Amino acid sequence: MKKVVLVLLLIAIIPLNLSAWGDKGHKLITAHSLEFLKTKINLPDSIIKEIITRSVDPDNRKKQDPTEYPKHFIDIDFFPEYMSGQIVLNRDELKSRYPDSVLVKQGYLPWATLDTYEKLVDAFKSGEKEKIVLYLADLSHYVADGHQPMHATLNYNGQLTGQKGIHFRYEIEMVDAYLEEIIKGLVKFDIGTVEKKDLEYKIFDYLNESNTYVELVLSADKFASKNKDKYFELLWNRTKYVTIESINSAAKALADMINSAYIEAGNPELKF
Ligand SMILES: [Zn+2]
C-alpha cells in the first residue's frame, strides 16, 4: 500500500484519545520490571531513569507518526481464527487473508512487539546507548499495552455495549486514583527467558489473557455505573485483582523478554 494512502486511512480511523495504563501505569510497570533486571544486565540508575521516562514516548509519537497508532492494540476478537480457538495469529498467514487496511484497523501490537524485540537484540549487539534506551523503552510500552484488557478487544471503548469511555475510566482515571494500592500489590519475581521460537506464542498468550478480562471490566463498569457517586471505588473493587495481576504479569513478561534479547545478543558488556 502506498504510504500516503496508509496515512490517510490511519487519520480517518484513529480515535486520538486512547493510550494505555496512562503515564503513571506505564512508568510503574517499567520501573518494577527493571528493578529486578538491573542485577542481570548492568544498567546504571541514570539509564534506568531515562528508560522509565521514555516508556511513554510511543504514545506521544502517535501525534507525529500516524503509523504508530496500530502498534498499541489488537482487536483480537475481530478475527474468526481467534474466535474459533486459534490463539497465535501468524502475521504472514493473516496478510494472505486480509488486506493491509484490515490489519491496520484492527491493530498490530503483537508484531510491533516482535519487531521491537529484534531491534533490541541488534541494539544490544551494537552497544549504542541511544538505540538500547530507545528499544528498551519501546518494548516496555508495547508489552504493557498488551496487558491492558481494553487493548485486546474490538469493544475497546465499550462502544459496542453502550459503555463509551470505559477505556479512559479504567486505565487512567481508576489506575491513577488507586496507584498506591497497585504499588502495594506488586510482587517480586524471578527473571526467566523466552525461547525465540516461543516468543510469538508468549505475546499472544498474554493478549489472550487480557481478552479474557474484558468481560470483567465491562461488567464492573455496568455495576459501578449504578452508583455514580462511588463509581471509581466500585470499579476498583471489582477489577483490582485482575488489574494488579495484569501489571505484575506485564513487568515479569517484559523482564523475561529483555533478558532473552540480551542473551541472544551474546551477553554483551554494556558501557554507557
Ligand atoms: Zn500505548
Side-chain angles (χ1 to χ4, degrees):
M1 186 187 288
K2 291 243 166 47
K3 202 172 176 197
V4 65
V5 180
L6 183 70
V7 168
L8 286 172
L9 180 81
L10 283 163
I11 291 169
I13 62 170
I14 289 169
L16 289 165
N17 60 339
L18 304 178
S19 65
W21 293 128
D23 280 15
K24 287 177 186 162
H26 271 293
K27 287 176 180 171
L28 179 67
I29 290 168
T30 309
H32 186 52
S33 188
L34 295 182
E35 191 184 334
F36 298 109
L37 198 74
K38 68 179 177 187
T39 53
K40 285 230 167 194
I41 302 176
N42 187 21
L43 293 172
D45 286 348
S46 59
I47 296 287
I48 288 183
K49 238 176 152 181
E50 203 178 330
I51 298 163
I52 293 168
T53 306
R54 290 177 58 181
S55 67
V56 296
D57 282 2
D59 275 341
N60 298 328
R61 277 205 300 262
K62 290 178 201 166
K63 291 168 205 141
Q64 289 94 40
D65 175 7
T67 64
E68 179 63 37
Y69 188 80
K71 296 178 182 174
H72 298 246
F73 64 92
I74 182 168
D75 302 337
I76 197 167
D77 43 16
F78 163 85
F79 294 97
E81 290 86 347
Y82 176 74
M83 296 306 279
S84 56
Q86 187 185 324
I87 289 184
V88 176
L89 305 176
N90 180 268
R91 172 162 37 186
D92 293 336
E93 257 175 64
L94 288 187
K95 278 192 167 181
S96 69
R97 286 179 210 169
Y98 300 94
D100 280 359
S101 57
V102 169
L103 298 185
V104 167
K105 189 170 180 222
Q106 308 310 329
Y108 48 85
L109 182 148
W111 309 296
T113 313
L114 277 177
D115 293 344
T116 306
Y117 173 91
E118 293 299 341
K119 286 176 185 164
L120 180 61
V121 173
D122 289 343
F124 276 141
K125 283 182 187 164
S126 78
E128 287 174 55
K129 180 203 151 196
E130 179 51 35
K131 283 187 183 164
I132 293 170
V133 171
L134 170 67
Y135 296 123
L136 280 172
D138 280 8
L139 190 67
S140 81
H141 189 96
Y142 299 136
V143 172
D145 276 1
H147 286 79
Q148 205 286 52
M150 307 316 281
H151 278 240
T153 179
L154 202 52
N155 193 15
Y156 55 88
N157 197 22
Q159 76 280 15
L160 304 177
T161 45
Q163 294 170 273
K164 249 186 162 175
I166 179 57
H167 195 110
F168 185 77
R169 290 195 291 276
Y170 174 72
E171 74 172 11
I172 297 184
E173 289 186 282
M174 186 196 81
V175 167
D176 285 5
Y178 289 91
L179 202 67
E180 275 180 35
E181 297 290 316
I182 295 172
I183 292 170
K184 277 187 218 156
L186 294 178
V187 293
K188 199 176 181 300
F189 56 83
D190 293 324
I191 297 168
T193 52
V194 190
E195 276 195 54
K196 183 87 166 199
K197 64 175 177 49
D198 299 330
L199 197 56
E200 199 175 19
Y201 178 82
K202 167 87 187 163
I203 294 166
F204 274 99
D205 192 45
Y206 64 66
L207 284 164
N208 181 44
E209 185 181 348
S210 293
N211 183 271
T212 65
Y213 294 154
V214 171
E215 281 303 318
L216 186 95
V217 174
L218 291 172
S219 80
D221 178 61
K222 265 188 199 150
F223 181 86
S225 296
K226 289 177 191 151
N227 190 342
K228 293 261 184 266
D229 292 344
K230 291 192 155 197
Y231 175 81
F232 284 106
E233 193 184 327
L234 294 170
L235 185 68
W236 169 248
N237 278 343
R238 294 184 80 81
T239 60
K240 63 181 173 184
Y241 305 109
V242 294
T243 303
I244 290 172
E245 161 60 24
S246 296
I247 284 179
N248 274 312
S249 168
K252 156 89 176 135
L254 175 62
D256 289 355
M257 283 164 75
I258 295 172
N259 188 34
S260 304
Y262 181 73
I263 293 168
E264 196 182 325
N267 298 294
E269 196 187 324
L270 303 175
K271 296 189 187 93
F272 294 110

